[in-house]
Amino acid sequence: MTTTDDRPATVPHWIAGAPYRSTDASQSEVVDPATGHVLSSVELGSPAVIDAAVMAAQAASGAWASTPAPVRAATLHRFRALMIDHTEELAAIVTSEQGKTLADARGEVARSVEAVEVAISVVQHLKGEYSDQVSTGIDTYSFRQAIGVCIGITPFNFPIMVPVSMFAAAIACGNTFVLKPSERVPTASVRIAQLLSESGLPDGVFNVVHGDVDAVNALIDHPDVAAVSFVGSTPVAREIYRRSADAGKKVQALGGANNHMVVMPDADLDAAADALASAAYGAAGQRCMAVPVVVAVGSIADDLVARTAQRAAAFTVGPGDDEDSDMGPLISEAAADRVKSALETASSQGASIVVDGRANVPATGYFVGPSLVDNVTVDSDIYQQEVFGPVLSVLRADDLDMALRIVNASPYGNGATIFTTSGVAGRKFSHHVQAGSVGINVPIPVPISWFGFGGWGDSRFGDDGLNYDAYRFYTKAKVVTQRWIEPKSGISPNFVAAKHQ
Ligand code: NAD
């Protein structure tokens, strides 16, 4: 098992099937957020490193695209098996750098395995369609082909799942890939690269470069890069989308979120409070599908707040590698300070702090405990910003229509969920809510990978999502019209069409 003791002092890049170190690279520290201790450092890729990675991907591109699809799929099958075998090791790496609990990190690996399975299966969609005899002796068919070198830029909160949901589909479809993971959680990507190599993936098909904004810009601007996938915060997503589109690249950029749960008066309040506590405080609120806002409808608001407060107070906050912890630290000191300052501002703007996560947390590391803030208004700072921490804000609404107006006025549209025992309310909510992933009586409505994933509004720029949707993004369609009979006539200057009687 890889632990903090046997990790390399410097996390290398991974280029052309081997670790890659550069002598001129600047470095950034990788910190254990549960202790504040430096675990290692990571090289920040210079333009020369970025070029080397893209060149390796470009060099591998033709042969991999020509590799029969079942052979590509078999490679990913072996990778899937290795991921399962290495679940404990991968989870430990995630926990040590990201901070989430081991149980949560194991769940991340399991969802990543699911994404690989779906990537293998979506390859069947490359087969396209066929129309026989569209004119005399002429058939037309379509199929999809790989697009070349794809890049992925990923956030700190899912060091394995988000990269896998990009590269597995890209590789399955015959592309090569350069991943630029978050420089705060770099180690898992390199371990994944090793496992892909062990699975028999040819050198250069999957590469990892570390870095910050400069590395990202160099990747986007590289003339040999065909497509850009991004997941991260909304301001960066918007900029990546603009820059990639300006450069004529295919681009999908998934951004931040502020997901709402609506709780109706007829809901099972214990089930709703359980769901709120897990969705708001799990992973310290650092999930794009976390629920930081609840809209309590009608007279149940006080009761719901009381039941949720009980659960928040019962959370065990501690290091992610302590099996007793329900919740780990925030990713950095700056993130913890941001959450504390959001609570302070909320209080000064008239909200009531029902459970205060600033109290009773471990003295070292970047911890803030579960926090519950009541009487929040839509114009307050805590509602307007993406807090991305273990804070649940409570808003109140008179009825479902008012709740829907609140939810739909949010610029984000990643996810939304409702708790109710009324099919009518559930159906109305799912039909009218402006969000990409919708839940009814489930806390975090991340769909199984057989469906596409991606938000609406400021939560996604670009059309295609991840997982099931990804084969469309990572391929381009070609339509072929063919004739194999001797032409009966000579030049035809017009469109050819079937004769209608
Ligand atoms: P981030 O936007 O700070 O960073 C994401 C990636 O972009 C990292 O690899 C980082 O190195 C790079 N980056 C940072 N600033 C950049 C810049 N100015 N130009 C180019 N690249 C830059 O996000 P984060 O803090 O790592 O992750 C948390 C955010 O990600 C939250 O907003 C969360 O909601 C969002 N997120 C969204 C989804 C989704 O599916 N929509 C999933 C996970 C996380």
PDB file of all heavy atoms in Angstrom, residues 293-328:
ATOM      1  N   VAL A 293     -27.655  24.240   0.070  1.00  0.00           N
ATOM      2  CA  VAL A 293     -28.854  25.062   0.300  1.00  0.00           C
ATOM      3  C   VAL A 293     -30.076  24.172   0.422  1.00  0.00           C
ATOM      4  O   VAL A 293     -30.307  23.309  -0.440  1.00  0.00           O
ATOM      5  CB  VAL A 293     -29.108  26.038  -0.888  1.00  0.00           C
ATOM      6  CG1 VAL A 293     -30.323  26.914  -0.594  1.00  0.00           C
ATOM      7  CG2 VAL A 293     -27.891  26.896  -1.181  1.00  0.00           C
ATOM      8  N   VAL A 294     -30.864  24.381   1.482  1.00  0.00           N
ATOM      9  CA  VAL A 294     -32.160  23.717   1.555  1.00  0.00           C
ATOM     10  C   VAL A 294     -33.252  24.781   1.540  1.00  0.00           C
ATOM     11  O   VAL A 294     -33.122  25.825   2.194  1.00  0.00           O
ATOM     12  CB  VAL A 294     -32.275  22.804   2.801  1.00  0.00           C
ATOM     13  CG1 VAL A 294     -32.082  23.575   4.100  1.00  0.00           C
ATOM     14  CG2 VAL A 294     -33.625  22.087   2.817  1.00  0.00           C
ATOM     15  N   VAL A 295     -34.283  24.526   0.756  1.00  0.00           N
ATOM     16  CA  VAL A 295     -35.461  25.403   0.756  1.00  0.00           C
ATOM     17  C   VAL A 295     -36.568  24.633   1.472  1.00  0.00           C
ATOM     18  O   VAL A 295     -37.092  23.643   0.943  1.00  0.00           O
ATOM     19  CB  VAL A 295     -35.885  25.777  -0.680  1.00  0.00           C
ATOM     20  CG1 VAL A 295     -37.045  26.776  -0.632  1.00  0.00           C
ATOM     21  CG2 VAL A 295     -34.709  26.347  -1.469  1.00  0.00           C
ATOM     22  N   ALA A 296     -36.886  25.062   2.685  1.00  0.00           N
ATOM     23  CA  ALA A 296     -37.911  24.389   3.482  1.00  0.00           C
ATOM     24  C   ALA A 296     -39.261  25.021   3.154  1.00  0.00           C
ATOM     25  O   ALA A 296     -39.431  26.237   3.260  1.00  0.00           O
ATOM     26  CB  ALA A 296     -37.595  24.540   4.964  1.00  0.00           C
ATOM     27  N   VAL A 297     -40.209  24.172   2.754  1.00  0.00           N
ATOM     28  CA  VAL A 297     -41.499  24.684   2.291  1.00  0.00           C
ATOM     29  C   VAL A 297     -42.545  24.566   3.405  1.00  0.00           C
ATOM     30  O   VAL A 297     -42.747  23.477   3.965  1.00  0.00           O
ATOM     31  CB  VAL A 297     -41.964  23.919   1.024  1.00  0.00           C
ATOM     32  CG1 VAL A 297     -43.356  24.385   0.597  1.00  0.00           C
ATOM     33  CG2 VAL A 297     -40.959  24.121  -0.109  1.00  0.00           C
ATOM     34  N   GLY A 298     -43.184  25.690   3.690  1.00  0.00           N
ATOM     35  CA  GLY A 298     -44.309  25.692   4.631  1.00  0.00           C
ATOM     36  C   GLY A 298     -43.882  25.576   6.081  1.00  0.00           C
ATOM     37  O   GLY A 298     -42.783  25.990   6.468  1.00  0.00           O
ATOM     38  N   SER A 299     -44.750  24.922   6.857  1.00  0.00           N
ATOM     39  CA  SER A 299     -44.623  24.969   8.316  1.00  0.00           C
ATOM     40  C   SER A 299     -43.552  24.039   8.872  1.00  0.00           C
ATOM     41  O   SER A 299     -43.273  24.082  10.076  1.00  0.00           O
ATOM     42  CB  SER A 299     -45.970  24.580   8.925  1.00  0.00           C
ATOM     43  OG  SER A 299     -46.291  23.282   8.446  1.00  0.00           O
ATOM     44  N   ILE A 300     -42.941  23.204   8.056  1.00  0.00           N
ATOM     45  CA  ILE A 300     -41.989  22.211   8.606  1.00  0.00           C
ATOM     46  C   ILE A 300     -40.604  22.795   8.852  1.00  0.00           C
ATOM     47  O   ILE A 300     -39.713  22.110   9.357  1.00  0.00           O
ATOM     48  CB  ILE A 300     -41.863  20.969   7.683  1.00  0.00           C
ATOM     49  CG1 ILE A 300     -41.656  21.378   6.220  1.00  0.00           C
ATOM     50  CG2 ILE A 300     -43.063  20.078   7.814  1.00  0.00           C
ATOM     51  CD1 ILE A 300     -40.272  21.471   5.760  1.00  0.00           C
ATOM     52  N   ALA A 301     -40.375  24.065   8.485  1.00  0.00           N
ATOM     53  CA  ALA A 301     -39.013  24.603   8.472  1.00  0.00           C
ATOM     54  C   ALA A 301     -38.310  24.458   9.830  1.00  0.00           C
ATOM     55  O   ALA A 301     -37.181  23.938   9.894  1.00  0.00           O
ATOM     56  CB  ALA A 301     -39.040  26.063   8.028  1.00  0.00           C
ATOM     57  N   ASP A 302     -38.974  24.891  10.911  1.00  0.00           N
ATOM     58  CA  ASP A 302     -38.306  24.844  12.223  1.00  0.00           C
ATOM     59  C   ASP A 302     -37.971  23.405  12.611  1.00  0.00           C
ATOM     60  O   ASP A 302     -36.887  23.121  13.132  1.00  0.00           O
ATOM     61  CB  ASP A 302     -39.197  25.483  13.296  1.00  0.00           C
ATOM     62  CG  ASP A 302     -39.255  26.995  13.124  1.00  0.00           C
ATOM     63  OD1 ASP A 302     -38.366  27.557  12.443  1.00  0.00           O
ATOM     64  OD2 ASP A 302     -40.203  27.615  13.656  1.00  0.00           O
ATOM     65  N   ASP A 303     -38.931  22.516  12.359  1.00  0.00           N
ATOM     66  CA  ASP A 303     -38.736  21.105  12.700  1.00  0.00           C
ATOM     67  C   ASP A 303     -37.558  20.523  11.904  1.00  0.00           C
ATOM     68  O   ASP A 303     -36.676  19.824  12.443  1.00  0.00           O
ATOM     69  CB  ASP A 303     -40.038  20.354  12.377  1.00  0.00           C
ATOM     70  CG  ASP A 303     -40.080  18.987  13.026  1.00  0.00           C
ATOM     71  OD1 ASP A 303     -39.086  18.622  13.674  1.00  0.00           O
ATOM     72  OD2 ASP A 303     -41.094  18.279  12.859  1.00  0.00           O
ATOM     73  N   LEU A 304     -37.511  20.836  10.615  1.00  0.00           N
ATOM     74  CA  LEU A 304     -36.428  20.329   9.762  1.00  0.00           C
ATOM     75  C   LEU A 304     -35.073  20.856  10.241  1.00  0.00           C
ATOM     76  O   LEU A 304     -34.082  20.112  10.307  1.00  0.00           O
ATOM     77  CB  LEU A 304     -36.680  20.739   8.301  1.00  0.00           C
ATOM     78  CG  LEU A 304     -35.645  20.232   7.304  1.00  0.00           C
ATOM     79  CD1 LEU A 304     -35.706  18.697   7.168  1.00  0.00           C
ATOM     80  CD2 LEU A 304     -35.845  20.883   5.931  1.00  0.00           C
ATOM     81  N   VAL A 305     -35.035  22.135  10.582  1.00  0.00           N
ATOM     82  CA  VAL A 305     -33.780  22.734  11.070  1.00  0.00           C
ATOM     83  C   VAL A 305     -33.331  22.013  12.345  1.00  0.00           C
ATOM     84  O   VAL A 305     -32.150  21.652  12.492  1.00  0.00           O
ATOM     85  CB  VAL A 305     -33.949  24.251  11.301  1.00  0.00           C
ATOM     86  CG1 VAL A 305     -32.760  24.831  12.076  1.00  0.00           C
ATOM     87  CG2 VAL A 305     -34.125  24.977   9.965  1.00  0.00           C
ATOM     88  N   ALA A 306     -34.268  21.766  13.250  1.00  0.00           N
ATOM     89  CA  ALA A 306     -33.901  21.115  14.511  1.00  0.00           C
ATOM     90  C   ALA A 306     -33.360  19.708  14.259  1.00  0.00           C
ATOM     91  O   ALA A 306     -32.337  19.303  14.827  1.00  0.00           O
ATOM     92  CB  ALA A 306     -35.124  21.063  15.434  1.00  0.00           C
ATOM     93  N   ARG A 307     -34.047  18.964  13.402  1.00  0.00           N
ATOM     94  CA  ARG A 307     -33.586  17.579  13.131  1.00  0.00           C
ATOM     95  C   ARG A 307     -32.226  17.576  12.414  1.00  0.00           C
ATOM     96  O   ARG A 307     -31.373  16.721  12.674  1.00  0.00           O
ATOM     97  CB  ARG A 307     -34.614  16.835  12.268  1.00  0.00           C
ATOM     98  CG  ARG A 307     -35.914  16.566  12.999  1.00  0.00           C
ATOM     99  CD  ARG A 307     -36.891  15.860  12.076  1.00  0.00           C
ATOM    100  NE  ARG A 307     -38.260  16.056  12.536  1.00  0.00           N
ATOM    101  CZ  ARG A 307     -39.157  15.093  12.654  1.00  0.00           C
ATOM    102  NH1 ARG A 307     -38.850  13.867  12.346  1.00  0.00           N
ATOM    103  NH2 ARG A 307     -40.380  15.371  13.057  1.00  0.00           N
ATOM    104  N   THR A 308     -32.021  18.536  11.502  1.00  0.00           N
ATOM    105  CA  THR A 308     -30.739  18.581  10.781  1.00  0.00           C
ATOM    106  C   THR A 308     -29.615  19.005  11.734  1.00  0.00           C
ATOM    107  O   THR A 308     -28.490  18.488  11.659  1.00  0.00           O
ATOM    108  CB  THR A 308     -30.835  19.544   9.577  1.00  0.00           C
ATOM    109  OG1 THR A 308     -31.983  19.205   8.808  1.00  0.00           O
ATOM    110  CG2 THR A 308     -29.607  19.452   8.694  1.00  0.00           C
ATOM    111  N   ALA A 309     -29.938  19.940  12.631  1.00  0.00           N
ATOM    112  CA  ALA A 309     -28.925  20.404  13.596  1.00  0.00           C
ATOM    113  C   ALA A 309     -28.430  19.258  14.466  1.00  0.00           C
ATOM    114  O   ALA A 309     -27.226  19.130  14.731  1.00  0.00           O
ATOM    115  CB  ALA A 309     -29.521  21.512  14.469  1.00  0.00           C
ATOM    116  N   GLN A 310     -29.366  18.413  14.880  1.00  0.00           N
ATOM    117  CA  GLN A 310     -28.993  17.236  15.689  1.00  0.00           C
ATOM    118  C   GLN A 310     -27.962  16.384  14.948  1.00  0.00           C
ATOM    119  O   GLN A 310     -26.965  15.951  15.508  1.00  0.00           O
ATOM    120  CB  GLN A 310     -30.240  16.365  15.842  1.00  0.00           C
ATOM    121  CG  GLN A 310     -30.754  16.236  17.233  1.00  0.00           C
ATOM    122  CD  GLN A 310     -32.058  15.428  17.201  1.00  0.00           C
ATOM    123  OE1 GLN A 310     -32.412  14.785  16.209  1.00  0.00           O
ATOM    124  NE2 GLN A 310     -32.772  15.503  18.307  1.00  0.00           N
ATOM    125  N   ARG A 311     -28.219  16.153  13.694  1.00  0.00           N
ATOM    126  CA  ARG A 311     -27.318  15.301  12.893  1.00  0.00           C
ATOM    127  C   ARG A 311     -25.979  15.993  12.665  1.00  0.00           C
ATOM    128  O   ARG A 311     -24.921  15.356  12.713  1.00  0.00           O
ATOM    129  CB  ARG A 311     -27.983  14.940  11.572  1.00  0.00           C
ATOM    130  CG  ARG A 311     -29.113  13.916  11.769  1.00  0.00           C
ATOM    131  CD  ARG A 311     -30.128  13.982  10.673  1.00  0.00           C
ATOM    132  NE  ARG A 311     -31.111  12.907  10.748  1.00  0.00           N
ATOM    133  CZ  ARG A 311     -32.216  12.930  11.490  1.00  0.00           C
ATOM    134  NH1 ARG A 311     -32.494  13.984  12.258  1.00  0.00           N
ATOM    135  NH2 ARG A 311     -33.059  11.914  11.500  1.00  0.00           N
ATOM    136  N   ALA A 312     -26.017  17.302  12.409  1.00  0.00           N
ATOM    137  CA  ALA A 312     -24.758  18.041  12.174  1.00  0.00           C
ATOM    138  C   ALA A 312     -23.874  17.954  13.412  1.00  0.00           C
ATOM    139  O   ALA A 312     -22.659  17.739  13.315  1.00  0.00           O
ATOM    140  CB  ALA A 312     -25.068  19.495  11.827  1.00  0.00           C
ATOM    141  N   ALA A 313     -24.494  18.118  14.556  1.00  0.00           N
ATOM    142  CA  ALA A 313     -23.720  18.116  15.800  1.00  0.00           C
ATOM    143  C   ALA A 313     -23.129  16.745  16.091  1.00  0.00           C
ATOM    144  O   ALA A 313     -22.141  16.626  16.821  1.00  0.00           O
ATOM    145  CB  ALA A 313     -24.618  18.572  16.956  1.00  0.00           C
ATOM    146  N   ALA A 314     -23.745  15.693  15.530  1.00  0.00           N
ATOM    147  CA  ALA A 314     -23.274  14.330  15.823  1.00  0.00           C
ATOM    148  C   ALA A 314     -22.133  13.890  14.902  1.00  0.00           C
ATOM    149  O   ALA A 314     -21.567  12.815  15.081  1.00  0.00           O
ATOM    150  CB  ALA A 314     -24.437  13.351  15.685  1.00  0.00           C
ATOM    151  N   PHE A 315     -21.776  14.711  13.912  1.00  0.00           N
ATOM    152  CA  PHE A 315     -20.708  14.326  12.989  1.00  0.00           C
ATOM    153  C   PHE A 315     -19.369  14.242  13.715  1.00  0.00           C
ATOM    154  O   PHE A 315     -19.032  15.121  14.506  1.00  0.00           O
ATOM    155  CB  PHE A 315     -20.582  15.377  11.876  1.00  0.00           C
ATOM    156  CG  PHE A 315     -21.167  14.931  10.554  1.00  0.00           C
ATOM    157  CD1 PHE A 315     -22.532  14.741  10.424  1.00  0.00           C
ATOM    158  CD2 PHE A 315     -20.355  14.691   9.461  1.00  0.00           C
ATOM    159  CE1 PHE A 315     -23.080  14.329   9.222  1.00  0.00           C
ATOM    160  CE2 PHE A 315     -20.878  14.276   8.251  1.00  0.00           C
ATOM    161  CZ  PHE A 315     -22.253  14.096   8.128  1.00  0.00           C
ATOM    162  N   THR A 316     -18.588  13.202  13.414  1.00  0.00           N
ATOM    163  CA  THR A 316     -17.227  13.126  13.938  1.00  0.00           C
ATOM    164  C   THR A 316     -16.285  13.720  12.885  1.00  0.00           C
ATOM    165  O   THR A 316     -16.205  13.229  11.756  1.00  0.00           O
ATOM    166  CB  THR A 316     -16.831  11.658  14.211  1.00  0.00           C
ATOM    167  OG1 THR A 316     -17.786  11.110  15.112  1.00  0.00           O
ATOM    168  CG2 THR A 316     -15.438  11.565  14.818  1.00  0.00           C
ATOM    169  N   VAL A 317     -15.630  14.808  13.279  1.00  0.00           N
ATOM    170  CA  VAL A 317     -14.718  15.498  12.359  1.00  0.00           C
ATOM    171  C   VAL A 317     -13.290  15.097  12.707  1.00  0.00           C
ATOM    172  O   VAL A 317     -12.886  15.199  13.871  1.00  0.00           O
ATOM    173  CB  VAL A 317     -14.881  17.029  12.497  1.00  0.00           C
ATOM    174  CG1 VAL A 317     -13.927  17.749  11.550  1.00  0.00           C
ATOM    175  CG2 VAL A 317     -16.323  17.437  12.229  1.00  0.00           C
ATOM    176  N   GLY A 318     -12.548  14.625  11.723  1.00  0.00           N
ATOM    177  CA  GLY A 318     -11.177  14.208  12.008  1.00  0.00           C
ATOM    178  C   GLY A 318     -10.469  13.785  10.743  1.00  0.00           C
ATOM    179  O   GLY A 318     -11.036  13.853   9.647  1.00  0.00           O
ATOM    180  N   PRO A 319      -9.226  13.332  10.866  1.00  0.00           N
ATOM    181  CA  PRO A 319      -8.448  12.938   9.684  1.00  0.00           C
ATOM    182  C   PRO A 319      -9.172  11.865   8.890  1.00  0.00           C
ATOM    183  O   PRO A 319      -9.805  10.972   9.471  1.00  0.00           O
ATOM    184  CB  PRO A 319      -7.151  12.377  10.283  1.00  0.00           C
ATOM    185  CG  PRO A 319      -7.089  12.910  11.676  1.00  0.00           C
ATOM    186  CD  PRO A 319      -8.495  13.140  12.123  1.00  0.00           C
ATOM    187  N   GLY A 320      -9.071  11.945   7.573  1.00  0.00           N
ATOM    188  CA  GLY A 320      -9.784  11.006   6.714  1.00  0.00           C
ATOM    189  C   GLY A 320      -9.325   9.569   6.896  1.00  0.00           C
ATOM    190  O   GLY A 320     -10.083   8.636   6.607  1.00  0.00           O
ATOM    191  N   ASP A 321      -8.075   9.358   7.345  1.00  0.00           N
ATOM    192  CA  ASP A 321      -7.602   7.978   7.495  1.00  0.00           C
ATOM    193  C   ASP A 321      -7.957   7.390   8.856  1.00  0.00           C
ATOM    194  O   ASP A 321      -7.575   6.260   9.165  1.00  0.00           O
ATOM    195  CB  ASP A 321      -6.094   7.872   7.224  1.00  0.00           C
ATOM    196  CG  ASP A 321      -5.272   8.734   8.175  1.00  0.00           C
ATOM    197  OD1 ASP A 321      -5.865   9.375   9.076  1.00  0.00           O
ATOM    198  OD2 ASP A 321      -4.038   8.778   8.008  1.00  0.00           O
ATOM    199  N   ASP A 322      -8.701   8.135   9.666  1.00  0.00           N
ATOM    200  CA  ASP A 322      -9.246   7.581  10.908  1.00  0.00           C
ATOM    201  C   ASP A 322     -10.632   7.040  10.568  1.00  0.00           C
ATOM    202  O   ASP A 322     -11.528   7.811  10.190  1.00  0.00           O
ATOM    203  CB  ASP A 322      -9.333   8.703  11.958  1.00  0.00           C
ATOM    204  CG  ASP A 322      -9.880   8.205  13.286  1.00  0.00           C
ATOM    205  OD1 ASP A 322     -10.554   7.149  13.292  1.00  0.00           O
ATOM    206  OD2 ASP A 322      -9.660   8.885  14.305  1.00  0.00           O
ATOM    207  N   GLU A 323     -10.815   5.713  10.683  1.00  0.00           N
ATOM    208  CA  GLU A 323     -12.074   5.096  10.233  1.00  0.00           C
ATOM    209  C   GLU A 323     -13.273   5.627  11.028  1.00  0.00           C
ATOM    210  O   GLU A 323     -14.415   5.453  10.616  1.00  0.00           O
ATOM    211  CB  GLU A 323     -11.995   3.559  10.312  1.00  0.00           C
ATOM    212  CG  GLU A 323     -10.946   2.923   9.386  1.00  0.00           C
ATOM    213  CD  GLU A 323     -11.394   2.776   7.916  1.00  0.00           C
ATOM    214  OE1 GLU A 323     -12.522   3.197   7.577  1.00  0.00           O
ATOM    215  OE2 GLU A 323     -10.592   2.261   7.115  1.00  0.00           O
ATOM    216  N   ASP A 324     -13.037   6.285  12.154  1.00  0.00           N
ATOM    217  CA  ASP A 324     -14.158   6.841  12.929  1.00  0.00           C
ATOM    218  C   ASP A 324     -14.621   8.200  12.402  1.00  0.00           C
ATOM    219  O   ASP A 324     -15.665   8.708  12.817  1.00  0.00           O
ATOM    220  CB  ASP A 324     -13.756   7.021  14.402  1.00  0.00           C
ATOM    221  CG  ASP A 324     -13.586   5.676  15.088  1.00  0.00           C
ATOM    222  OD1 ASP A 324     -14.232   4.704  14.618  1.00  0.00           O
ATOM    223  OD2 ASP A 324     -12.813   5.602  16.065  1.00  0.00           O
ATOM    224  N   SER A 325     -13.829   8.816  11.528  1.00  0.00           N
ATOM    225  CA  SER A 325     -14.202  10.158  11.049  1.00  0.00           C
ATOM    226  C   SER A 325     -15.356  10.066  10.048  1.00  0.00           C
ATOM    227  O   SER A 325     -15.355   9.229   9.153  1.00  0.00           O
ATOM    228  CB  SER A 325     -13.015  10.834  10.343  1.00  0.00           C
ATOM    229  OG  SER A 325     -11.940  10.983  11.230  1.00  0.00           O
ATOM    230  N   ASP A 326     -16.324  10.969  10.226  1.00  0.00           N
ATOM    231  CA  ASP A 326     -17.397  11.087   9.220  1.00  0.00           C
ATOM    232  C   ASP A 326     -17.014  12.112   8.162  1.00  0.00           C
ATOM    233  O   ASP A 326     -17.566  12.131   7.069  1.00  0.00           O
ATOM    234  CB  ASP A 326     -18.698  11.576   9.880  1.00  0.00           C
ATOM    235  CG  ASP A 326     -19.226  10.587  10.889  1.00  0.00           C
ATOM    236  OD1 ASP A 326     -19.226   9.381  10.579  1.00  0.00           O
ATOM    237  OD2 ASP A 326     -19.636  11.019  11.996  1.00  0.00           O
ATOM    238  N   MET A 327     -16.095  12.977   8.514  1.00  0.00           N
ATOM    239  CA  MET A 327     -15.784  14.115   7.649  1.00  0.00           C
ATOM    240  C   MET A 327     -14.349  14.540   7.888  1.00  0.00           C
ATOM    241  O   MET A 327     -13.903  14.608   9.032  1.00  0.00           O
ATOM    242  CB  MET A 327     -16.714  15.263   8.058  1.00  0.00           C
ATOM    243  CG  MET A 327     -16.868  16.344   7.059  1.00  0.00           C
ATOM    244  SD  MET A 327     -17.746  17.719   7.858  1.00  0.00           S
ATOM    245  CE  MET A 327     -16.370  18.805   8.143  1.00  0.00           C
ATOM    246  N   GLY A 328     -13.620  14.814   6.805  1.00  0.00           N
ATOM    247  CA  GLY A 328     -12.235  15.232   6.916  1.00  0.00           C
ATOM    248  C   GLY A 328     -12.084  16.744   6.821  1.00  0.00           C
ATOM    249  O   GLY A 328     -13.043  17.487   6.993  1.00  0.00           O
TER     250      GLY A 328
END
